[in-house]
């Protein structure tokens, strides 16, 4: 009986871990409506993630802004590839740190983004997400952080 119960607990734990690791389904559920099924974005409103998110992920400040954007949202006009986007992104702080890391790692590896990552790139970790979560930023503060990176 004790072994069966331990086995059941272990199986449920693994099932929960597998769900938390499914970045693709998290993207489809939370992001695809605005950023598109293939990360192409929506002109004037929501920027593309294909070909752009990697630009952010390759610097410490950019990695932080990616995580902050998912956690806290982002409000303010941004420019991506010389195109203006004025949509408002909601935050998804209700997702667990592991889920946000999984979602972001999916985005950074999907749609050819993986070929744009520099050698030695390391995936975003749940610990990085937890560190950013403790900052408790507003969407406008995330915007200011992103603006400082000055990508076009």
């Amino acid at each position: 009986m004790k072994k069966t119960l331990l086995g059941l607990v272990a199986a449920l734990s693994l099932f929960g871990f597998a769900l938390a690791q499914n970045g693709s389904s998290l993207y489809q559920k939370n992001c695809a409506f605005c950023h598109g099924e293939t990360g192409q974005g929506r002109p004037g409103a929501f920027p593309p993630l294909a070909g752009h998110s990697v630009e952010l992920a390759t610097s410490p400040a950019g990695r932080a802004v990616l995580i902050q954007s998912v956690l806290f949202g982002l409000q303010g006009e941004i420019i991506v590839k010389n195109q203006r986007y004025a949509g408002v992104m909601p935050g998804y702080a209700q997702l667990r740190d592991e889920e946000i890391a999984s979602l972001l790692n999916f985005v950074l590896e999907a749609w050819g983004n993986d070929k744009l990552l520099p050698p030695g790139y390391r995936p975003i970790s749940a610990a990085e997400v937890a560190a950013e979560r403790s900052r408790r930023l507003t969407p406008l503060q995330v915007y200011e952080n992103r603006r400082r990176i000055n990508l076009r």
Side-chain angles (χ1 to χ4, degrees):
M1 175 76 165
K2 190 175 181 180
K3 283 185 182 182
T4 304
L5 184 58
L6 286 174
L8 181 59
V9 169
L12 288 174
S13 296
L14 287 173
F15 179 72
F17 180 75
L19 286 177
Q21 299 306 307
N22 193 343
S24 175
S25 65
L26 288 165
Y27 178 84
Q28 293 304 317
K29 181 179 176 184
N30 297 290
C31 313
F33 183 78
C34 295
H35 290 285
E37 295 289 321
T38 58
Q40 75 277 8
R42 303 218 186 265
F46 306 105
L49 300 176
H52 170 63
S53 55
V54 172
E55 293 174 328
L56 288 166
T58 56
S59 74
R63 285 172 76 93
V65 165
L66 278 174
I67 296 166
Q68 293 166 7
S69 296
V70 175
L71 277 170
F72 308 117
L74 188 141
Q75 183 176 353
E77 182 180 83
I78 63 171
I79 299 173
V80 175
K81 310 269 188 221
N82 293 315
Q83 299 293 315
R84 295 182 184 280
Y85 296 90
V88 174
M89 180 170 165
Y92 292 92
Q94 74 275 12
L95 296 176
R96 295 187 317 262
D97 297 340
E98 297 81 10
E99 291 172 318
I100 290 174
S102 180
L103 186 153
L104 285 169
N105 288 323
F106 166 76
V107 166
L108 292 168
E109 294 171 6
W111 320 301
N113 283 343
D114 57 332
K115 291 170 183 57
L116 302 173
L117 292 168
Y121 171 82
R122 61 179 175 73
I124 291 174
S125 69
E128 285 177 278
V129 176
E132 291 302 325
R133 185 184 296 275
S134 70
R135 297 184 66 194
R136 302 189 193 281
L137 301 174
T138 68
L140 287 172
Q141 289 171 315
V142 174
Y143 169 74
E144 285 301 320
N145 290 343
R146 190 192 188 289
R147 194 178 60 73
R148 284 186 207 108
I149 296 170
N150 199 25
L151 288 177
R152 295 213 170 245

